[in-house]
């Protein structure tokens, strides 16, 4: 794969988000299956691996640590703090002492002495961003992490945090059907020389065509609570895929590859991370880096799937209240 810069280091332009192997989309695969997928990703050229203390309430970091520790010098390892599992529940806590304790626990689970990029997973709005970032700056000075990142924040918060300590990357949901970073965040990243790591580049499977009926989601699949996958929004959104799929096949690639190619074209500092439990899908996604799609073809996608044509917000109201990203006003 081609290379892009992340926290001062050249990495493959498509990375692997490891969440799916332990968390979020129903019953995760057995650890042995997850470990095999991580090893396969290495063989396919992936060297940017993204996890978090939240995923599986620590189990994902344990899996990543066990699988990748022998290859630690070959990989770029990212994790997150500020949102963890406490007594079986998701808790946002950005207090400095909590962030430092989470880092200590993460280092143990990841079987490493240092984390290459450590994100504040969510800004705890009860704690000034300067205090949380200050704690992460302490971790840099102490040698526990190499660089600081933020996740799901606005351009305003990013700029404020950047005055406390240089922010190497901001992670945000970004895809054809989630354009929030285009409001202000992309501009801020460009001006401040900050990478934008795009998670859910396939719209949580929607753009890949893998979601045909949300009623098939298993009980613990987080998409069950997302309005875009609920009636009446899903029916409206499903109609967008017919033309999108035709564009992909005419371009000689799969819909998933077209979605990733579109994202790679947005800016050289945008780095998608894909997530999957399937080796076949992983190979398909990574091949997007070598898909040759014309600028004209990519441009046809802009009016097709965007903030105005997609029906429904990306999260339920209570979750949106926890997030600091700019939101496009929506009619429905």
């Amino acid at each position: 794969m081609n290379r892009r810069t992340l926290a001062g280091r050249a990495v493959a332009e498509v990375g692997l988000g490891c969440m799916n192997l332990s968390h979020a989309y129903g019953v995760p695969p057995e650890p042995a299956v997850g470990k095999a997928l991580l090893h396969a990703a290495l063989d396919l050229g992936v060297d940017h691996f993204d996890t978090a203390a939240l995923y599986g309430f620590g189990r994902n970091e344990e899996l990543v640590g066990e699988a990748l520790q022998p290859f630690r010098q070959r990989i770029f390892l990212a994790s997150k703090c500020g949102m963890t599992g406490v007594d079986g529940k998701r808790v946002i806590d950005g207090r400095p002492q909590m962030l430092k304790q989470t880092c200590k626990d993460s280092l143990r689970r990841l079987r490493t002495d240092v984390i290459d990029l450590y994100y504040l997973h969510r800004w705890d709005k009860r704690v000034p961003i300067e205090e949380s970032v200050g704690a992460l700056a302490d971790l840099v000075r102490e040698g526990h992490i190499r660089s600081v990142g933020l996740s799901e924040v606005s351009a305003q918060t990013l700029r404020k945090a950047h005055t406390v300590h240089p922010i190497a990357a901001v992670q945000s949901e970004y895809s054809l059907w989630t354009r929030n970073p285009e409001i202000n965040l992309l501009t801020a990243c460009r001006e401040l020389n900050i990478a934008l790591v795009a998670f859910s580049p396939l719209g949580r499977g929607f753009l890949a065509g893998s979601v045909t009926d949300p009623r098939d989601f298993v009980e613990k699949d987080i998409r069950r609570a997302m309005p875009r996958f609920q009636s009446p929004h899903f029916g409206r959104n499903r109609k967008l895929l017919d033309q999108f799929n035709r564009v992909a096949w005419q371009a000689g690639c799969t819909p998933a590859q077209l979605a990733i190619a579109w994202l790679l074209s947005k800016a050289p500092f945008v780095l998608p991370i894909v997530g999957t439990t399937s080796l076949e899908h992983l190979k398909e996604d990574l091949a997007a880096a070598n898909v040759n799609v014309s600028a004209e073809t990519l441009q046809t996608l802009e009016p097709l799937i965007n903030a105005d044509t997609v029906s429904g917000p990306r999260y339920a109201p209570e979750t949106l209240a926890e997030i600091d990203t700019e939101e496009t006003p929506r009619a429905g």
Side-chain angles (χ1 to χ4, degrees):
M1 285 187 286
N2 296 323
R3 317 290 284 177
R4 296 194 174 193
T5 301
L6 179 59
R9 181 166 158 184
V11 299
E13 60 184 356
V14 179
L16 182 66
C18 302
M19 178 183 75
N20 303 42
L21 301 178
S22 307
H23 184 87
Y25 296 125
V27 180
E30 292 295 322
V33 175
K35 185 176 180 180
L37 187 88
L38 291 168
H39 288 165
L42 273 174
D43 293 339
L44 291 168
V46 175
D47 56 3
H48 171 202
F49 293 86
D50 181 276
T51 182
L54 175 72
Y55 303 158
F57 292 1
R59 291 190 300 275
N60 195 245
E61 286 184 326
E62 291 174 350
L63 174 66
V64 171
E66 179 182 354
L68 299 182
Q69 191 278 330
F71 313 99
R72 180 66 185 91
Q73 298 308 309
R74 288 172 48 188
I75 67 170
F76 183 96
L77 185 59
S79 193
K80 309 177 194 72
C81 61
M83 187 160 62
T84 58
V86 179
D87 296 329
K89 296 182 179 181
R90 181 177 63 87
V91 173
I92 296 175
D93 190 338
R95 294 175 297 165
Q97 63 268 33
M98 180 57 68
L99 303 184
K100 293 181 179 182
Q101 181 59 50
T102 302
C103 181
K104 180 179 179 180
D105 295 338
S106 292
L107 289 168
R108 172 179 51 80
R109 290 190 292 255
L110 290 167
R111 304 186 185 191
T112 186
D113 294 328
V114 62
I115 298 169
D116 296 309
L117 173 59
Y118 204 46
Y119 295 94
L120 182 67
H121 204 162
R122 289 290 185 274
W123 172 34
D124 181 351
K125 297 176 183 179
R126 302 166 300 180
V127 180
I129 190 65
E130 294 89 345
E131 291 185 18
S132 295
V133 172
L136 299 182
D138 289 343
L139 291 172
V140 173
R141 286 189 287 269
E142 294 163 6
H144 300 306
I145 66 176
R146 291 195 170 103
S147 55
V148 174
L150 300 177
S151 179
E152 294 277 60
V153 297
S154 65
Q156 180 181 6
T157 300
L158 175 61
R159 292 180 187 278
K160 188 182 297 184
H162 195 65
T163 64
V164 177
H165 187 275
I167 303 300
V170 58
Q171 188 167 137
S172 189
E173 183 175 357
Y174 189 23
S175 69
L176 274 164
W177 88 333
T178 297
R179 303 292 196 91
N180 304 65
E182 296 178 358
I183 301 172
N184 289 315
L185 191 61
L186 278 176
T187 298
C189 287
R190 182 179 290 106
E191 291 177 358
L192 299 174
N193 194 28
I194 294 172
L196 192 152
V197 176
F199 72 85
S200 295
L202 301 181
R204 303 183 186 275
F206 175 80
L207 295 170
S210 61
V211 182
T212 56
D213 189 343
R215 291 174 296 183
D216 294 334
F217 290 153
V218 298
E219 182 180 354
K220 293 186 178 181
D221 193 313
I222 62 174
R223 292 173 293 184
R224 290 170 63 105
M226 294 179 176
R228 291 181 183 177
F229 293 100
Q230 299 170 346
S231 181
H233 301 298
F234 184 77
R236 298 169 184 165
N237 292 330
R238 185 68 182 82
K239 295 177 182 178
L240 300 174
L241 286 184
D242 291 340
Q243 187 174 344
F244 176 69
N245 291 343
R246 282 196 294 271
V247 175
W249 299 127
Q250 290 169 0
C253 63
T254 69
Q257 290 168 345
L258 181 60
I260 296 170
W262 174 86
L263 198 51
L264 288 169
S265 75
K266 298 306 292 183
F269 55 84
V270 173
L271 294 89
I273 51 174
V274 298
T276 183
T277 60
S278 163
L279 178 56
E280 179 182 352
H281 290 164
L282 177 62
K283 291 179 178 179
E284 176 188 353
D285 294 346
L286 296 180
N290 297 314
V291 166
N292 186 15
V293 182
S294 70
E296 292 77 15
T297 295
L298 294 173
Q299 192 61 37
T300 66
L301 301 177
E302 296 287 340
L304 177 61
I305 303 178
N306 57 55
D308 294 324
T309 63
V310 172
S311 181
R314 62 190 182 112
Y315 288 125
E318 57 271 20
T319 303
L320 284 175
E322 299 173 343
I323 295 170
D324 181 52
T325 54
E326 293 93 351
E327 297 291 330
T328 303
R330 308 188 60 86

